[in-house]
Structures are given as structure tokens and as C-alpha cells.
Amino acid sequence: MKVIDILNNSKSTLFSFELLPPLKGHNIETIFATIDKLLPYNPTYINITYHREEVVYMSNENGIQVPVKVRRRPGTIGLAAAIQQRYAIDVVPHIICGGFDAHETEDALIDLDFLGIQNILAVRGDADKITGRFEPRAGGHRYAIDLVKQVTDLNRGVYLEKLMEKPKPTNFCIGVAGYPEKHPESPNCESDIHYLKKKVEAGASYIVTQMFFDNKLYFNFVDKCRKAGIAVPIVPGLKPISIKEHLSILPRVFDVHIPQALVLELEKCKTNNQVAQLGVEWAIEQSRELKSSGVKAIHFYTMGKDDNIAQIAKAVF
């Protein structure tokens, strides 16, 4: 089923979560174990992230550091197919700009269509970790809206290859990302919402937000989106803090604000176990407030951890 139909048909707040593909060389059973632990809370769909190649520096035979491209987490499409077949739960693989040209993107979408996968999340992808800039592959897309437009074209039967006879339209539901505190590269919130609206106008059916730790940010974001004419569902995304280093990592990497009340409590923690438990408790309170406000779903970023998400889901769903 399409995510937009799942959301529109929901009678109460739904539970969904995001998984990372296993590191190259690791076993898919670790992913299945995570899902098994979260199954009792009736997840309605599962997102699977996509990770492009990255550049690392390694010593050659002369001891000189040289750049080498590696992909640490391949397998998004295969993992999506395996999960859908094993659990009969709808999956939402991510499609990104980085690492694909437009023809490779089309081929990946055709594979997903053949597998009966009806949902995707269209995101630009991360900037280069070394330069801090995003550069698309030659012939690829620079912005998520270009991905949305390409998928929308496929849904109308418009392919890049113009010599096809009676091409079959695809039937994808397209999700996109929203940022309650604006995208880190956006000059301001108004500009961010302006371009988010364009993604919806181009064919996106729903929005899932970046993590936030103050629900007021989410409610204000939704209000601004509605005033701008964005009417599609906006699903809040949450990530519980699990290690003390998140105090500096999350603001720096994701440009998110951590409320002072949470900071003060985190600073009292002596161990990461205490931090993780505090993160669970904070996320439970966030989730309960969001649920009481009538949100259609709450989406959780697992980052490879399931114990904390299971605790939250048990308390909320």
C-alpha cells in the first residue's frame, strides 16, 4: 500500500521507523533481528536509507595517502525487497541524487517497480564529508526536486528513452524531507519552505521531518507549511539521544537545537547507559504529546539501535 493511503486511512497515530543497510560484509540477519524486536508495536512501513560512495584516504605501497572511493552500506534495494517479502510490511527505500546519473536512477526505479515496491523517499543526500559541498555525478541531479520530477514523469509513463513503444507508467508514492529548523544549507526558514512547497507541487505526497527535540519546533513548522499552502501530511521524525557525544555531534552534523532542559539533564549523566535512558524518557514524552495532538504517524530514526526504539514504542503505541 502507498504511504499516503496508509496515512490518510489511519484512525490513530501510526508507528514507523528507518533502518540503515548493514555494513558491507555483515549479515542481513542483524536487520531481521531489529525488525523482529519492533514487530510487536505494529510498524506500518519501514524506511531503508541509501548511502553513496565516500572518499577515504589510505596509504599506498609508498606510504603516501591517496583518496579511495568506498561504499560502506550497499544493498538498499535488495534489503527493501527482502523485508517486504519476509514481513509483508510496506518498505520505503530512499533514492538519492549523489552517486547516480539520471539513467541509473531510472534503472533503480524500474527495479523497484518490478519488485512491487510502491513507495520511495526522494532526498538529495549528504554533502561530501571532506569538502562540505554536494556535487552530483555527471548527468545526475543536484536537488531532490529533480528526483521528484523524474519519478513523477515515470508515473506518467515518461521515460528518458524516447523510442519506447507504449511505456508502462509506474505507480510510486513519493515522500520528501522537511526541516523544522530549516535545512543546514538553506539561508532561512522561509526559503526552505518555499522550495519544500515546490517539491510537493512537483509530485510529493507527504513529508517526513528531520529529528527535533522540542515539539514546538514541529508544531511551528507545520503551521508555517500550512500557511504557505502545503496541505500534505507532515510526519514528525524523532531520534532519541543515546550517547553523551550527541550533545555536540547532532547540532554540528544535523544543525538541530537541543533544549537547555535536556542539556542540563544530560550533563548530570555519568554513563552512556544513563544518557540512553534519559533519551528514551525524553522521546516518550515527545511522542505522547505528538500523539495527543493527532499526528498521523511518528517516524523513528534507529541509527542501527533498536532497544531504545522498542522501549519508546512499548510506552507509546
Side-chain angles (χ1 to χ4, degrees):
M1 183 182 289
K2 293 182 176 181
V3 168
I4 186 60
D5 294 329
I6 293 172
L7 296 175
N8 286 339
N9 293 332
S10 68
K11 303 301 182 185
S12 59
T13 301
L14 304 173
F15 168 58
S16 69
F17 61 90
E18 178 182 286
L19 293 171
L20 283 67
L23 288 166
K24 184 179 289 187
H26 287 216
N27 197 298
I28 196 173
E29 294 299 328
T30 60
I31 298 297
F32 292 157
T34 294
I35 297 172
D36 289 341
K37 188 170 289 187
L38 298 175
L39 273 182
Y41 313 108
N42 300 312
T44 48
Y45 57 90
I46 299 173
N47 280 38
I48 302 105
T49 59
Y50 191 95
H51 301 259
R52 67 175 296 178
E53 76 281 356
E54 57 185 277
V55 175
V56 298
Y57 282 85
M58 303 179 68
S59 297
N60 64 14
E61 62 275 10
N62 298 318
I64 299 172
Q65 293 283 303
V66 295
V68 177
K69 287 187 176 181
V70 298
R71 283 192 64 204
R72 300 182 185 276
R73 295 184 184 272
T76 296
I77 292 177
L79 180 59
I83 291 171
Q84 188 158 280
Q85 180 182 37
R86 183 181 178 105
Y87 296 98
I89 297 174
D90 288 292
V91 291
V92 187
H94 295 192
I95 293 292
I96 66 173
C97 295
F100 290 100
D101 63 32
H103 288 275
E104 290 168 326
T105 296
E106 183 171 276
D107 290 346
L109 291 165
I110 289 170
D111 284 343
L112 292 170
D113 183 50
F114 287 167
L115 290 165
I117 293 170
Q118 294 185 301
N119 301 290
I120 63 156
L121 188 77
V123 292
R124 188 198 70 178
D126 295 333
D128 184 89
K129 292 180 180 179
I130 297 174
T131 65
R133 298 190 302 272
F134 176 83
E135 291 296 334
R137 179 177 290 184
H141 299 310
R142 182 173 291 276
Y143 302 108
I145 190 172
D146 301 316
L147 279 179
V148 174
K149 289 177 179 178
Q150 183 173 10
V151 181
T152 300
D153 280 345
L154 287 181
N155 283 347
R156 297 200 310 262
V158 179
Y159 289 72
L160 296 175
E161 174 56 67
K162 303 304 181 186
L163 300 179
M164 301 167 61
E165 294 185 8
K166 298 180 179 179
K168 170 187 171 294
T170 55
N171 191 29
F172 290 111
C173 170
I174 309 167
V176 293
Y179 297 82
E181 300 180 70
K182 84 173 185 60
H183 190 281
E185 298 173 26
S186 182
N188 55 61
C189 291
E190 290 73 21
S191 177
D192 206 25
I193 291 175
H194 170 78
Y195 287 108
L196 180 59
K197 184 179 180 182
K198 287 187 175 297
K199 287 190 283 187
V200 172
E201 292 170 343
S205 295
Y206 71 99
I207 297 162
V208 60
T209 76
Q210 174 61 283
M211 71 183 81
F212 56 91
F213 297 95
D214 183 344
N215 286 352
K216 290 179 183 178
L217 295 169
Y218 169 76
F219 295 131
N220 289 341
F221 174 68
V222 172
D223 185 56
K224 290 177 181 178
C225 286
R226 300 305 183 223
K227 288 178 179 177
I230 298 173
V232 301
I234 302 175
V235 177
L238 298 182
K239 171 186 165 40
I241 285 180
S242 57
I243 57 174
K244 205 159 192 176
E245 286 79 2
H246 280 161
L247 277 172
S248 59
I249 293 173
L250 297 181
R252 184 177 71 251
V253 175
F254 298 99
D255 201 22
V256 295
H257 168 78
I258 299 178
Q260 182 64 2
L262 178 55
V263 171
L264 293 175
E265 292 302 312
L266 287 168
E267 288 177 343
K268 296 176 185 177
C269 295
K270 304 299 183 184
T271 67
N272 277 334
N273 285 339
Q274 293 175 336
V275 170
Q277 190 54 44
L278 177 60
V280 165
E281 293 167 3
W282 188 274
I284 287 172
E285 291 307 309
Q286 277 192 272
S287 299
R288 285 175 173 164
E289 183 182 23
L290 290 166
K291 187 176 181 182
S292 68
S293 77
V295 297
K296 292 182 177 294
I298 303 175
H299 187 67
F300 292 88
Y301 300 106
T302 67
M303 301 299 288
K305 300 179 184 296
D306 52 49
D307 288 340
N308 53 1
I309 305 300
Q311 290 183 63
I312 298 163
K314 183 178 181 179
V316 177
F317 299 98

